[in-house]
Amino acid sequence: QKEVEQDPGPLSVPEGAIVSLNCTYSNSAFQYFMWYRQYSRKGPELLMYTYSSGNKEDGRFTAQVDKSSKYISLFIRDSQPSDSATYLCAMSEGGYQKVTFGTGTKLQVIP
Amino acid sequence: GAVVSQHPSRVICKSGTSVKIECRSLDFQATTMFWYRQFPKQSLMLMATSNEGSKATYEQGVEKDKFLINHASLTLSTLTVTSAHPEDSSFYICSARRPGATDTQYFGPGTRLTVL
């Protein structure tokens, strides 16, 4: 079993839809949770960073962490064609431990 | 967000040659940088952790004599692929850890290496 599981997609949604991206994990010691966006042939860009359980909102993006279920989510409201990219979840135990990445979910927002 | 640059963005070389890739953190000093490899439709595979002023720490299965890493300053790390072969063709991405933020990494734009 992989430490971090993420559905690779692709996920296609119409413009304006609410997008839900998810990851599950097995390591209960993970405390820091990140979401990165990666456009084709580019490096990943940090979108959201959360510590422990709870929600964090930034513009159209909301990150949720449920440590009891070992489940994290990224919601994108009012999705735009420019949101089309691969979204990677990432997590770590903290204390400068290695960051573990999901395989990424490819999202396509159709105009 | 923080800016990390990578050079070159794309390189094509002949089998047997060596290729050097530079990674620079432009607006902060990074004591730790990371080198990843990414195959099409796959996630990032950590190759090594580069610490300024000391030897890099390589992940299991990564040949340290083939992938030479040097982190000579707080803003520059280099990855040299020695005696490159076609199976080394991949997308190489570096990242830098920002001081004070233990787990957030800022990524460079990546280098696409093609070995003929």
Side-chain angles (χ1 to χ4, degrees), chain B residues 31-45:
Chain B
T31 54
T32 304
M33 290 184 172
F34 304 88
W35 286 96
Y36 293 86
R37 188 172 177 174
Q38 188 176 37
F39 292 103
K41 298 184 181 180
Q42 294 188 27
S43 189
L44 302 165
M45 185 192 83

Side-chain angles (χ1 to χ4, degrees), chain A:
Chain A
Q1 182 190 7
K2 290 182 181 177
E3 262 194 310
V4 178
E5 298 275 0
Q6 186 175 10
D7 188 334
L11 177 63
S12 292
V13 300
E15 183 176 355
I18 296 174
V19 175
S20 173
L21 303 166
N22 312 293
C23 286
T24 58
Y25 62 94
S26 57
N27 184 351
S28 58
F30 285 146
Q31 295 190 77
Y32 295 87
F33 303 91
M34 286 74 71
W35 284 96
Y36 287 84
R37 177 175 63 195
Q38 185 176 22
Y39 291 111
S40 182
R41 304 189 180 206
K42 300 290 183 183
E45 170 195 8
L46 179 65
L47 276 180
M48 302 286 283
Y49 172 83
T50 55
Y51 169 71
S52 193
S53 286
N55 294 357
K56 186 174 184 178
E57 188 174 322
D58 184 0
R60 296 186 294 112
F61 299 90
T62 300
Q64 285 186 354
V65 175
D66 182 348
K67 288 187 71 179
S68 62
S69 302
K70 299 190 182 70
Y71 188 87
I72 69 170
S73 301
L74 177 71
F75 296 97
I76 307 174
R77 290 185 299 280
D78 187 25
S79 57
Q80 303 295 310
S82 58
D83 295 328
S84 299
T86 296
Y87 290 80
L88 298 131
C89 63
M91 46 199 81
S92 80
E93 296 179 22
Y96 297 97
Q97 294 297 309
K98 184 174 70 173
V99 175
T100 302
F101 288 85
T103 52
T105 299
K106 187 171 184 178
L107 171 67
Q108 184 177 16
V109 181
I110 302 167

